[in-house]
Structure formats: structure tokens, C-alpha cells
Amino acid sequence: MGARLVVVGGDAAGMSAATNARRQADDLDIVVLERGSWVSYSACGIPYLVGGEVAAVDDLVARTPERLRAEHRLDVRLEHEVEEVDLAAGHVVVRDRARQRTFTLGFDLLHLATGARPTRPPLPGIDLPHVLGVQTLGDAQALLELARTSRCEHVVVVGGGYIGLEMAEAFLRWGARVALVEAAPQLMATLDPDLAARLVAPLAALGVAVHVGTGVAGFEPGRVLLDGGEVLPADLVVLGLGVTPNAQLAEAAGLELGARGAVAVDRRQRTSADGVFAAGDCATSHHRVSGRQVHVALGTVANKQGRVAGTNLGGGYATFAGVVGTAATRICSLEVARTGLTQREVAAAGFEAEWATIEATTHAGYLPDAEPITVRLGAERGSGRLLGAQIIGGQGAGKRIDTVATALHAGLDVQDVIDLDLAYVPPLSSVWDPVAAAARALVRRL
Amino acid sequence: MGARLVVVGGDAAGMSAATNARRQADDLDIVVLERGSWVSYSACGIPYLVGGEVAAVDDLVARTPERLRAEHRLDVRLEHEVEEVDLAAGHVVVRDRARQRTFTLGFDLLHLATGARPTRPPLPGIDLPHVLGVQTLGDAQALLELARTSRCEHVVVVGGGYIGLEMAEAFLRWGARVALVEAAPQLMATLDPDLAARLVAPLAALGVAVHVGTGVAGFEPGRVLLDGGEVLPADLVVLGLGVTPNAQLAEAAGLELGARGAVAVDRRQRTSADGVFAAGDCATSHHRVSGRQVHVALGTVANKQGRVAGTNLGGGYATFAGVVGTAATRICSLEVARTGLTQREVAAAGFEAEWATIEATTHAGYLPDAEPITVRLGAERGSGRLLGAQIIGGQGAGKRIDTVATALHAGLDVQDVIDLDLAYVPPLSSVWDPVAAAARALVRRL
């Protein structure tokens, strides 16, 4: 055995680091410590598990510890929580929950993939048993159990972001009456307010009662108290209030923190301490469009950063190229996606932009199943450099954001988007793809 | 009135030139001469009209002559065929079919958007009334009429390219027994042979009898004679053998021709004669990946080139950025797309490439409606520069080619594709989009 790499956290950012380190370094002793009961699973799949589209928890598990051990020679230990990182001593203090013992484990290299935790505001009743977060497969099991054992007639989802919307849909599938409560004046803070407002009517049509600009005052058994006095019945409450990086271990060890308290990393995923790397929901990212350090808690980023960290940990060379701000979701048949910067983010980053918003159809309008699509595209004044896009529409709308995400990655300008040789056949697109049509409208405004 | 612009041909490349010229030049006298009975229509929509998904011919017409006259002050004349271009005299000789008269019309600026014509090989019986091409709305009407008046029990489609496959599907919708005959050893010459071969089984499952490597010897009433002696019953024969640029007028006028006999144009769509422009299916294009002059007969290119020509004709400045070789189709639920160069084209262009082909799912594999998707990606040896991609798969597969098309436009390499911040949510994608997954596989081979 060669040097030992200890990986803290066994989901995307941890396991992709471990497998990529193995690929580079055959003789590395790799130990993965996971405090939960699963590794290598799709947390993003939880809403579909809870909604019943995915039959079993195990379906979300990409690779079992046994397979990781056999195929990649990874020493994967579940129910092992790292309680302390001692950089000077070069060891971690580990709590083995199953055996109820604590031990130290030395490392030559350390990788932190501790993820993020759902925000739980200190509201009265937040710890009641029917108020549940959505983060781990354990949370998913708790949600499923409560849905089965309660009447599940009334469900309140607190938080109108991606997870909130996806969980609202999941409980519609249970036949529940779903209320969605968002303290901010709009759903989806990741969209421009006017576009986010367009989601309210479709959600209402699906049966979701949307309360925006309404905070939660507290929770009681069977109900949620809203600011202003309204009371919503609730057999089950789902919290979808965003996440906070799990950086306490890193902070206590003296590592530098960055955006939103995440572990600060460089392009190779190195933290401020030699031989210590971090990746995923606990770490910072570089935003290619704003040029700023940001915190992005998404599975795509976790996988990419983990891959980079693992390559470097194994003695190779890799850098994370950064994010351009892409995110997407689907609420029943409505697809929602964004990339780059929103109008608010453009202003915060110090750019001045022009924006164009077009209404089109997901494919040739003369075909009977063409659905509406709205595309907003923004570019910098003067330079015409692309800054961001948002798309809402029917089937085929969401993944069109990839065209803009690719263009942003490459630093293209709005004229380039008009010039792109995008695929066209009437059942898949109009002759001017809606993204290119938005670019045409934007050029006229610039 | 200012100078006169005469536009020959009133479909995509002609009409987008006319409207864009108008946008630039308020005082230009713009006359559009169209030999057919419609302008500004979607020829690509014909298979869906014939198949009954589109109810009426007029549904494929984007803008009527009346509207073009009213909104853009274009003098649009139907059933007017230009018989000669006299550059020295600065006039065209026009046949007005309706009034059965011929006249000359002077021009200061000329734009040729004469399109292309379906290839009709000089086979015995090719001119029989049940052997029809697919090009204009008139062709569509003839096909519909013959389908209604014949038993339409047996349909033979000659040619296994995009149009052939789309017309095969159209006649499946009529309940016909469809045979598809292709002289080349593979369907879809625009794909690598092994990927094209994968279309045979799904087509057979849909009820299409595929004959590849089989030429047509001739046509007789009610039947098609194949090379080798086989005879196929045929109430109706559709020719989908590709197109030839309509460049006779240009050639007779002494204009320079280029790739495949198309009218040679520069980046501003200027022909070899001053003040004479050309665009669309009759003109050449620049291929950004191979660096070569090519002939591409696609509506997307026609619209873009027409827009560029019109801007320049109106006194503005625009250049056509070229193509990257994107094309797509959908056969029932199977989506097929390509961009860049195929393996054959890579070799012809003098590159050496590595290729990777991956099998994945259109979205998260644990969701019940995920469908198979195959992505092939190629990059230059050494540089890693992207050279091409092909995709076959279920819903959501085809438009993923746009990611590669955008990357090719920007000159990205295969590592960039891994780094792209592509949209992910389980109902729309796996966490590594199949395109990025193909890039990962390709990097390992390079």
C-alpha cells in the first residue's frame, strides 16, 4: 500500500474523487467515510422516489459499497462520521456509529466532500416529526413513511425553489392537496421575477395553492401557521429552503472559507492546506460569466469537481473549468431552465445588459403538439457578449438552455447565437430555433 | 422609389433576403418573382402534411403575398418564372404563366434564390404519373391527391435519406405497406454506416420493408422493378434521392459555379458578378470544420444566408458564418441527428480522429420513461479539437446535437465538452449528459 487518501463523504463529490484517484494511482490506500447509510446515490432523484415514479430507494443508488470495493478497491465505510480533522497530526477522528466507537485514522491526503444541509430556520415547531427536509435517502424514506402512515391529505411545501416545486409535484402524485409557501415575493429566486410569476398559474392549474410573499410563523401538529395569521392544514411539511455548505469540519480545522461559507478551493480543488482537497456542495466554484467565486450546490458540479479533485489527488493534473450558472427543473409538463446571470445578477456583477424575450413554439408551430416556449436572452451592451438566458416551456424547452450554456462557456456573443448551425426538423424545432430567434430579437435591441 | 432589387424565388432564401433588404432600405423597389403558386412556406413540413399531421397546405405558409406586400412593401408575383438573366443589359426575362406573356424586368440588384430540384434519374418509367418527387407544395398536393384516389395500399419510397425516411413515415400514417429502396449499402449516407444500420430494425418494426444496396431498374404502372429482378407493388412511388442546385439561370448568365454545381458565393453571399447575390439551396456554403466549400440544401441555411444577403443588398453589412454540418430527423419516436464530419468525411478532409461511442439514456435511467440514446463523438488526434458527432435515440436525443454544434462553431475541444455546465434534472438528463459522457469516453481514447 502507498499513501492513504481519506475521503469524507461518499456521494457524488466524494465518490467521483475516490474513483478518479484510483484511476490515477493504483497503489493509493483509499478510505471513504460516509456518515449515512448509502453512498453514490442520486439525491436529485428523491422527488421522483417520493412521488412514486421510482419504485425503490436502491434504484437511486448508482454503485453499492461492495461494487466500489470490488471494482475500484475503495474501502467504503458507512455510518462513519468524521468528527474532527487534525491537520497537524494528519488524522481524522471518526465515529463508527454502528459499533459505537470512536477512532483516529491517519491520512496523507484528505478530500472533503461533506455536502450541504437543508436550511432549517429556528421557527417554533420546526423539530416536530411531520416537518421534514429533503437531502439524503434517509430523508426520502422518512417522507415516504410519513406519507404512507399519515392521511397525506394536506401537504405544505415551504420554499418555492427547485426542490420545493419538485416536492410539490411529488405529493400531487399522492393525491394530496399541496400548498407551496414562499417568503420571497416570487417563486424560483433563480429566475427573473416576471418569468417566475408565470409559474404560478400552471402550478395552480395542477392543484398547487401558491402563497408567495408569505413567511411561515411556525408549525403545530397538523398545521402550519403563516405570517399574517393564516393557518394551513398539514399532515406533512416538506422544507425546501435551500442548503448551507457543511463546512464546520473544515472551518474547525482552520481551512479558509469562501462564498456563502463554503470551503474555499482553487481550480484544482485544493483548499488552503497542503494535501487537502474539497469538492461538491461544501466547496466554492468559479463563475465563468461573473468572474466571481460562488457556491453552487448541484449534482453536476459535484461530479465534475470530484473528478478533478480525484485526478489531482491521484497525482494527475486537472482543473475545474467553473460554472456558467446552469440549472433546470420540470414541473409536470413545464420545463424551466436558466444559465448565466439573471437580470438581478447581471446588475450585481456590474454589467449593463440588454435583454430580449420571445414567445415561440417548442417545434414547428403547424404541428399539432407544438407547445409554447419563452426564451429570454441577455447580452452586454457594447460588446454583445452573452450574459444569460432563461427558458420556460413545454417538452423540449428545458434542454435548449444547453445551447446557451455552451455558448457562455465559449464566451460567444449574441451574433454567434444567430449564426449557430442548430438542428432543425419540424417535429423537433422551428427553422429558427427559439434560442436563435431570441438572439435575433436581442441583436435588434443592442 | 430607389433602385430595384429583383429576387428570383420566393421561399426561405428569397423571402428572408427580401424582408431583410427592406429592413435596411426603405426606398428600395423590391420585386419577388416566384414560379410556383406559394411563397414563404415550409418545404420541410411537407412530410407532415402528406402524413396528415398538418391539416392544410396553407398551414405550411408562413406569410402570404398579401401580407408581405402590406407589411414589407414587397411586390410578390406568383407564377412568374425567370427564364433568363441578362447581366449586361441588367434585366431578367420573365414568363408570366397566368397571363401567358413574357416580359423583361430591369434590376439594379439581383438575388438568386432558385433553390434545388429533386434528383430524377433517367430510369424507364420515371415520368409515369404515380412517380412523384417531394419539393414544392404543388408536389405535396399531388402526393395527397394520388394517395386519396389510389388505393394507397403499397407505397415505394426510393432513397433512404432524410426525405425518404420522413415520407416513409407519412405513408405509414395512411396505413400503406411501405417499402424503402436505397441503392447505397446503407440508409442515411449522412451517418456512419454502423449507426445507419441501427435504423433498419426500428423501421422494420414500424412496418417499413427496407431494401438497402438495391437500385431501381425502372417503374411500371402499379410496380417498381428492382435491380436483380425483384418487383415491388406500388400504387404510389415517392422519390427522395436528394437534390441538385438550380443553377442553370446563373450558369447561363456566366456566374461562377462551385461545390456540386451550386452558385459560388462569398461570405456576404455575393456571386462572381457585381450586385448579384445568391442564397439557399442554389448556393454554396463554407464548412467551418472541414474548411471546405460545400453545398447544403437545408431550410436553416437558406434562412440564414437569405438574411445575410438581404442585409447586404439593403446596404448593410453581414456575413454568413458557415455551417458545421448539422442535420436532424425524427422517424416516429426515433430521433437522429448529426453535426460536424462523419468518419468518412473526416478522412476525406484529411484529419485523423479518434471516436468514442456511448450507450446511455435520454434522462435519468431510474425513471420509467428513460429511453436509450447512442452518442458518437469524434476529435482530432493530438489537438483534441472536436470534429463531429452523431446521435440516435428516443425523445430528447436529437436536439442534444446542438451542444456539439455550438461547441464546433466555437472551435472547442473534447475537454471543453466535459467541462460544459449542461442542464440536469432527472426527467430531462442524467447527471453527466450523454454528450458529456461521450466526451469523457473520448478523452480516455485520445
Side-chain angles (χ1 to χ4, degrees):
Chain A
M1 278 293 182
R4 180 184 291 150
L5 163 63
V6 169
V7 175
V8 186
D11 204 7
M15 216 45 90
S16 59
T19 53
N20 279 281
R22 169 60 70 228
R23 192 168 283 156
Q24 292 288 327
D26 206 48
D27 64 342
L28 205 56
D29 173 21
I30 306 178
V31 182
V32 180
L33 303 169
E34 165 58 46
R35 68 177 176 185
S37 310
W38 294 270
V39 291
S40 187
Y41 62 91
S42 170
C44 307
I46 290 174
Y48 312 96
L49 175 66
V50 173
E53 288 177 90
V54 177
V57 168
D58 286 347
D59 293 343
L60 296 187
V61 177
R63 285 173 294 192
T64 60
E66 293 68 35
R67 202 177 134 196
L68 289 159
R69 202 167 285 134
E71 292 180 10
H72 301 275
R73 288 183 290 116
L74 303 178
D75 179 359
V76 178
R77 306 192 198 171
L78 302 179
E79 311 278 353
H80 278 60
E81 178 158 17
V82 173
E83 296 184 330
E84 190 194 336
V85 171
D86 189 330
L87 293 177
H91 70 229
V92 290
V93 179
V94 187
R95 177 72 182 167
D96 176 348
R97 288 175 174 172
R99 294 187 191 77
Q100 303 231 343
R101 67 185 183 112
T102 303
F103 62 97
T104 62
L105 182 67
F107 61 80
D108 302 287
L109 294 163
L110 181 68
H111 178 58
L112 299 174
T114 47
R117 59 185 180 282
T119 303
R120 287 183 83 90
L123 291 168
I126 186 90
D127 293 322
L128 282 169
H130 70 304
V131 182
L132 295 168
V134 186
Q135 181 74 1
T136 65
L137 290 185
D139 296 333
Q141 286 188 317
L143 280 163
L144 279 168
E145 196 179 313
L146 188 57
R148 285 188 196 115
T149 55
S150 76
R151 285 172 309 173
C152 198
E153 199 176 311
H154 295 280
V155 172
V156 175
V157 177
V158 184
Y162 293 95
I163 289 290
L165 292 174
E166 290 163 12
M167 292 308 298
E169 177 179 351
F171 283 104
L172 287 178
R173 291 176 169 266
W174 278 83
R177 293 186 185 194
V178 179
L180 186 66
V181 181
E182 168 60 56
Q186 68 172 87
L187 297 176
M188 302 280 277
T190 50
L191 298 180
D192 291 338
D194 62 320
L195 291 185
R198 297 199 192 182
L199 302 176
V200 175
L203 282 166
L206 291 167
V208 178
V210 179
H211 303 254
V212 287
T214 309
V216 170
F219 306 94
E220 291 178 357
R223 52 196 220 151
V224 176
L225 316 178
L226 301 186
D227 289 339
E230 199 177 347
V231 175
L232 301 176
D235 302 309
L236 194 156
V237 178
V238 187
L239 299 179
L241 291 164
V243 296
T244 306
N246 278 329
Q248 305 98 316
L249 276 181
E251 188 175 18
L255 297 179
E256 196 182 308
L257 302 188
R260 294 188 56 220
V263 183
V265 292
D266 68 6
R267 302 296 180 92
R268 296 185 70 188
Q269 301 301 132
R270 294 181 294 201
T271 69
S272 55
D274 272 355
V276 182
F277 289 66
D281 291 4
C282 71
T284 57
S285 292
H286 167 74
H287 198 300
R288 293 173 72 95
V289 182
S290 71
R292 294 187 173 186
Q293 192 195 71
V294 292
H295 174 243
V296 177
L298 289 175
T300 48
V301 173
N303 273 286
K304 278 178 213 150
Q305 289 191 343
R307 183 173 177 275
V308 168
T311 301
N312 290 317
L313 283 160
Y317 180 86
T319 55
F320 178 57
V323 300
V324 299
T326 310
T329 190
R330 191 195 65 175
I331 308 302
C332 297
S333 65
L334 197 64
E335 301 180 2
V336 183
R338 58 151 287 165
T339 192
L341 306 174
T342 60
Q343 294 183 341
R344 196 184 292 139
E345 290 165 343
V346 158
F351 294 108
E352 285 198 20
E354 281 291 345
W355 296 86
T357 307
I358 61 119
E359 310 294 335
T361 49
T362 47
H363 51 267
Y366 49 74
L367 288 177
D369 56 353
E371 294 179 76
I373 179 173
T374 302
V375 180
R376 173 166 297 168
L377 196 63
E380 189 180 22
R381 278 201 195 161
S383 74
R385 178 192 166 200
L386 282 179
L387 288 176
Q390 292 163 59
I391 297 178
I392 298 179
Q395 192 166 71
K399 282 293 274 179
R400 275 187 163 92
I401 207 75
D402 288 350
T403 299
V404 186
T406 306
L408 284 170
H409 180 97
L412 299 188
D413 65 31
V414 63
Q415 177 62 47
D416 287 307
V417 177
I418 298 177
D419 292 341
L420 291 174
D421 193 3
L422 301 177
Y424 164 56
V425 64
L428 300 183
S429 184
S430 38
V431 67
W432 286 98
D433 186 276
V435 169
R440 290 177 68 192
L442 181 53
V443 156
R444 287 200 279 270
R445 295 181 66 104
L446 276 165
Chain B
M1 278 295 180
R4 180 184 291 150
L5 163 63
V6 169
V7 174
V8 186
D11 203 8
M15 215 46 90
S16 59
T19 54
N20 278 283
R22 168 61 70 229
R23 193 168 283 156
Q24 292 288 326
D26 207 47
D27 63 342
L28 205 57
D29 173 20
I30 306 178
V31 183
V32 179
L33 304 169
E34 166 57 47
R35 68 177 175 183
S37 309
W38 295 270
V39 291
S40 188
Y41 63 90
S42 170
C44 308
I46 290 174
Y48 312 96
L49 176 67
V50 172
E53 288 177 89
V54 176
V57 169
D58 286 347
D59 294 343
L60 295 187
V61 176
R63 287 174 293 194
T64 60
E66 293 69 34
R67 202 176 134 196
L68 289 159
R69 202 167 284 132
E71 292 179 11
H72 301 275
R73 288 182 292 115
L74 303 178
D75 179 359
V76 178
R77 306 190 197 172
L78 302 179
E79 311 278 352
H80 279 61
E81 178 159 16
V82 173
E83 296 184 329
E84 189 193 337
V85 172
D86 188 331
L87 293 176
H91 70 228
V92 290
V93 179
V94 187
R95 176 72 182 169
D96 176 349
R97 288 176 175 172
R99 291 187 193 78
Q100 304 231 342
R101 67 185 183 111
T102 302
F103 62 97
T104 64
L105 181 68
F107 61 80
D108 302 287
L109 294 163
L110 181 68
H111 178 58
L112 299 174
T114 46
R117 60 185 181 282
T119 303
R120 286 183 83 88
L123 291 167
I126 187 90
D127 293 322
L128 284 169
H130 70 305
V131 182
L132 296 168
V134 187
Q135 180 74 359
T136 66
L137 291 185
D139 296 332
Q141 286 187 317
L143 279 164
L144 279 167
E145 196 179 313
L146 188 57
R148 285 189 196 114
T149 55
S150 76
R151 287 171 308 174
C152 197
E153 200 177 312
H154 295 280
V155 171
V156 174
V157 177
V158 184
Y162 293 95
I163 289 291
L165 291 175
E166 291 161 13
M167 292 308 298
E169 178 178 352
F171 283 103
L172 286 179
R173 289 173 169 270
W174 279 84
R177 294 189 185 190
V178 179
L180 186 65
V181 180
E182 169 59 56
Q186 68 172 86
L187 297 177
M188 302 279 277
T190 52
L191 299 180
D192 290 340
D194 62 320
L195 291 185
R198 297 199 192 182
L199 302 176
V200 175
L203 282 165
L206 291 167
V208 178
V210 178
H211 303 253
V212 288
T214 309
V216 170
F219 305 95
E220 291 178 359
R223 53 196 219 151
V224 175
L225 316 178
L226 302 186
D227 289 339
E230 199 177 347
V231 175
L232 300 176
D235 302 309
L236 194 156
V237 177
V238 186
L239 299 179
L241 291 165
V243 296
T244 306
N246 278 328
Q248 306 96 318
L249 275 181
E251 188 175 18
L255 297 179
E256 196 183 308
L257 303 187
R260 294 188 55 219
V263 184
V265 292
D266 67 9
R267 301 295 179 93
R268 297 185 68 188
Q269 301 301 133
R270 294 179 294 200
T271 69
S272 55
D274 271 356
V276 181
F277 290 66
D281 291 5
C282 71
T284 58
S285 292
H286 167 75
H287 198 300
R288 292 172 72 95
V289 182
S290 70
R292 295 185 172 186
Q293 193 196 70
V294 291
H295 174 245
V296 177
L298 289 174
T300 48
V301 174
N303 272 286
K304 278 178 214 151
Q305 289 190 343
R307 183 173 176 274
V308 167
T311 302
N312 290 317
L313 284 160
Y317 179 86
T319 55
F320 178 58
V323 301
V324 299
T326 310
T329 190
R330 192 194 65 175
I331 307 304
C332 296
S333 64
L334 197 64
E335 302 180 2
V336 183
R338 58 150 288 164
T339 191
L341 307 174
T342 60
Q343 295 182 341
R344 197 185 290 139
E345 290 165 344
V346 158
F351 294 108
E352 283 197 23
E354 281 290 344
W355 298 85
T357 307
I358 61 119
E359 310 295 335
T361 49
T362 48
H363 52 267
Y366 50 74
L367 288 176
D369 55 354
E371 294 179 77
I373 178 174
T374 302
V375 179
R376 172 166 298 169
L377 195 64
E380 189 181 23
R381 277 201 194 160
S383 74
R385 178 191 167 202
L386 282 180
L387 289 176
Q390 292 164 59
I391 298 178
I392 298 179
Q395 192 166 70
K399 282 293 272 178
R400 274 187 164 93
I401 207 76
D402 287 350
T403 299
V404 186
T406 305
L408 283 170
H409 181 97
L412 299 188
D413 64 32
V414 63
Q415 178 62 46
D416 287 306
V417 177
I418 297 176
D419 292 341
L420 291 174
D421 193 4
L422 302 177
Y424 163 55
V425 65
L428 301 183
S429 184
S430 39
V431 67
W432 286 99
D433 186 276
V435 169
R440 290 176 67 191
L442 182 52
V443 156
R444 288 200 279 271
R445 295 179 67 103
L446 277 164

